[in-house]
Amino acid sequence: MSLAKKALEQGEGILRLTPTWVPRSFCVPGRRIKLHPDDYYSLGGERGGIDERWFSSTTPAENGPLTSKNEGLSHIALEDGDKTELFLLKDAIDELGAEIIGSRLWDKYKSWPMYSKFFDNMGPLPHHIHPSDEFGKLTGQNGKPEAYYFPPQVNNHGGDFPYTFFGIAPGTSKETILECLKNFNKGDNKITNYSQAFRLQPGTGWNVPPGMLHAPGSLCTYEPQKASDIFAMYQSLVNEAIIPDELLWNATPKDRVGDFDLLVEMIDWELNVNPNIMDNHYMEPIPVEDRAEMNAKGYDDKWICYRSHDYSAKELTIFPGQTVTITDAAAYGMIMMQGYGKMNNWDIETPALIRFGQLTHDEYFVSEKAAQAGVKITNHSKTDPIVMLKHFGPDNPDLKVVE
């Protein structure tokens, strides 16, 4: 029996995943993702600090020539006798396909087409863009929509700039943005002069379609997104740090580097100059069912990402001392935010501190079959709720997308 089959059988349709840490050379860690203080530069100073943890990922990180093997890819942990075997979630899904993610997704994508992450930066990111599929294919990549949710449990401080720029101010011309891009190597190209920023609030979120300029703020962010790591930085100076020129051309074919018109074409102009960006992209949690009925049964379940067909996410809370069975129509990954207890036959617990390379019991992948059969969760604490975030693939049958 293969490792993948053994793990799926042993976990009764639920796979235990290991922490997946990703550095970014252009970021300063916000130090809220529970990694040990000594371990944020475990991959070396030149790689930059670790400011991301990826969940349920079959998508490799695009981190330039120094990228380590399997960076960004989630691993399954299988305890086999007295040893623990680690192998890629991607390999397990390639082998077992519909047994893990269900025939609906496997038949269409032949892969797990999303992942999620914690993004944890002390300062803001540059104003940047994730191209659409149309422009992504120029470099052989998928386009990337993504969503944000700001979990209260990992936002004990707001970082240096808890505001996100979105879009382009109405009335701005394409020529103005083109001029900003041409000034990229002249210090501050001042592109955010032509945008608007929104204060970020823990317990809320945003949806960011491809082609939309955005400069994420400094809250620790949970980010469900399409399976891609494509981006291009359009802002040249952030927090007095210069952004390297190669990041401006990061999503551009080599033969079109220097083509500033292509960079402007990647911007979905109508989307960016919409004067009602908050109406179309901001997300307050929405109860999955009648709240009083859920609470009477010992839990609370909310949609936190619900404006995209490419992914969705829920925040599930199990009250102290309660046992509930939760069913979902689709496979999902999950990460524990608070509390401890049991999920079917697995221990689940929220670590306070994690060493680089340490295994945990806070992240799992639930197969479609197990999700549809119902996952039994018991909260062993008398005082602390269990809180978990659950990320789903495209076209979740349980969700009516709000656009």
Side-chain angles (χ1 to χ4, degrees):
M1 185 184 294
S2 71
L3 290 176
K5 286 186 176 179
K6 190 178 289 187
L8 196 63
E9 185 177 291
Q10 185 185 90
E12 296 178 0
I14 300 177
L15 301 167
R16 177 189 176 200
L17 304 182
T18 70
T20 301
W21 307 107
V22 175
R24 296 294 193 188
S25 60
F26 49 85
C27 294
V28 175
R31 298 177 178 266
R32 291 164 295 197
I33 52 177
K34 303 179 183 177
L35 190 58
H36 190 282
D38 292 344
D39 293 352
Y40 279 96
Y41 292 87
S42 290
L43 291 164
E46 62 183 349
R47 294 301 316 282
I50 292 169
D51 71 336
E52 297 186 4
R53 180 180 171 183
W54 289 22
F55 307 122
S56 305
S57 172
T58 59
T59 303
E62 299 290 341
N63 260 342
L66 298 179
T67 306
S68 55
K69 184 182 179 184
N70 296 332
E71 193 162 296
L73 296 175
S74 293
H75 288 72
I76 295 169
L78 168 65
E79 293 185 4
D80 192 5
D82 59 355
K83 63 180 180 178
T84 301
E85 299 274 6
L86 302 181
F87 56 99
L88 292 174
L89 174 64
K90 181 183 186 303
D91 290 346
I93 291 174
D94 286 347
E95 177 191 341
L96 299 180
E99 290 184 57
I100 298 178
I101 66 173
S103 58
R104 179 181 60 85
L105 292 180
W106 179 253
D107 292 348
K108 183 173 182 178
Y109 298 98
K110 294 292 188 284
S111 66
W112 175 241
M114 69 85 65
Y115 66 108
S116 192
K117 66 166 73 164
F118 282 153
F119 159 73
D120 174 42
N121 201 35
M122 184 63 77
L125 274 189
H127 217 31
H128 68 276
I129 199 166
H130 303 292
S132 64
D133 286 337
E134 175 191 355
F135 292 101
K137 69 183 180 185
L138 298 178
T139 53
Q141 300 179 77
N142 289 325
K144 187 171 81 161
E146 62 186 16
Y148 304 153
Y149 177 70
F150 311 114
Q153 294 88 352
V154 287
N155 279 297
N156 55 303
H157 68 84
D160 293 341
F161 191 79
Y163 304 82
T164 289
F165 286 95
F166 287 108
I168 298 168
T172 305
S173 69
K174 290 186 179 181
E175 289 73 25
T176 297
I177 299 302
L178 179 64
E179 190 65 23
C180 289
L181 295 173
K182 288 181 176 178
N183 289 334
F184 194 87
N185 288 321
K186 296 180 181 178
D188 184 1
N189 68 348
K190 298 182 171 65
I191 193 169
T192 53
N193 286 8
Y194 308 101
S195 185
Q196 53 186 325
F198 297 84
R199 184 178 179 182
L200 305 180
Q201 176 66 36
T204 70
W206 291 79
N207 194 62
V208 185
M212 184 174 180
L213 279 165
H214 55 293
S218 55
L219 287 192
C220 186
T221 307
Y222 170 72
E223 291 189 12
Q225 56 205 272
K226 191 172 176 178
S228 174
D229 195 26
I230 190 172
F231 65 89
M233 298 299 187
Y234 281 21
Q235 184 181 359
S236 59
L237 181 75
V238 182
N239 268 14
E240 300 306 316
I242 290 290
I243 306 304
D245 180 73
E246 62 262 25
L247 295 182
L248 174 65
W249 303 105
N250 191 56
T252 306
K254 286 185 171 58
D255 62 350
R256 297 191 68 178
V257 170
D259 184 349
F260 290 97
D261 289 327
L262 175 61
L263 299 181
V264 176
E265 286 175 36
M266 287 184 185
I267 301 171
D268 184 326
W269 200 258
E270 190 175 326
L271 183 72
N272 279 268
V273 299
N274 173 12
N276 302 312
I277 279 179
M278 193 165 188
D279 291 347
N280 299 100
H281 303 286
Y282 177 68
M283 294 182 291
E284 295 267 1
I286 297 174
V288 170
E289 299 171 36
D290 180 82
R291 206 141 188 211
E293 290 181 14
M294 289 191 291
N295 292 178
K297 295 174 184 175
Y299 73 98
D300 197 52
D301 203 6
K302 296 178 283 193
W303 291 108
I304 54 174
C305 299
Y306 48 77
R307 287 187 178 271
S308 175
H309 290 277
D310 291 298
Y311 45 72
S312 57
K314 292 178 177 179
E315 180 187 73
L316 173 64
T317 300
I318 311 297
F319 300 150
Q322 299 296 309
T323 295
V324 301
T325 298
I326 304 294
T327 59
D328 287 283
Y332 59 89
M334 57 77 70
I335 177 69
M336 289 285 290
M337 300 304 301
Q338 189 173 344
Y340 70 98
K342 277 281 196 184
M343 183 172 70
N344 282 5
N345 63 338
W346 286 107
D347 292 323
I348 51 174
E349 59 188 18
T350 310
L353 200 62
I354 308 169
R355 296 305 307 241
F356 184 82
Q358 176 188 337
L359 300 183
T360 59
H361 280 95
D362 66 341
E363 184 184 356
Y364 293 86
F365 192 94
V366 179
S367 68
E368 182 182 88
K369 186 177 180 181
Q372 291 177 348
V375 176
K376 182 181 177 182
I377 304 169
T378 300
N379 186 342
H380 286 162
S381 175
K382 295 178 181 178
T383 55
D384 203 22
I386 282 175
V387 181
M388 63 176 70
L389 304 180
K390 300 160 63 172
H391 27 277
F392 300 83
D395 296 315
N396 188 335
D398 288 332
L399 174 66
K400 183 177 181 181
V401 173
V402 179
E403 298 193 79

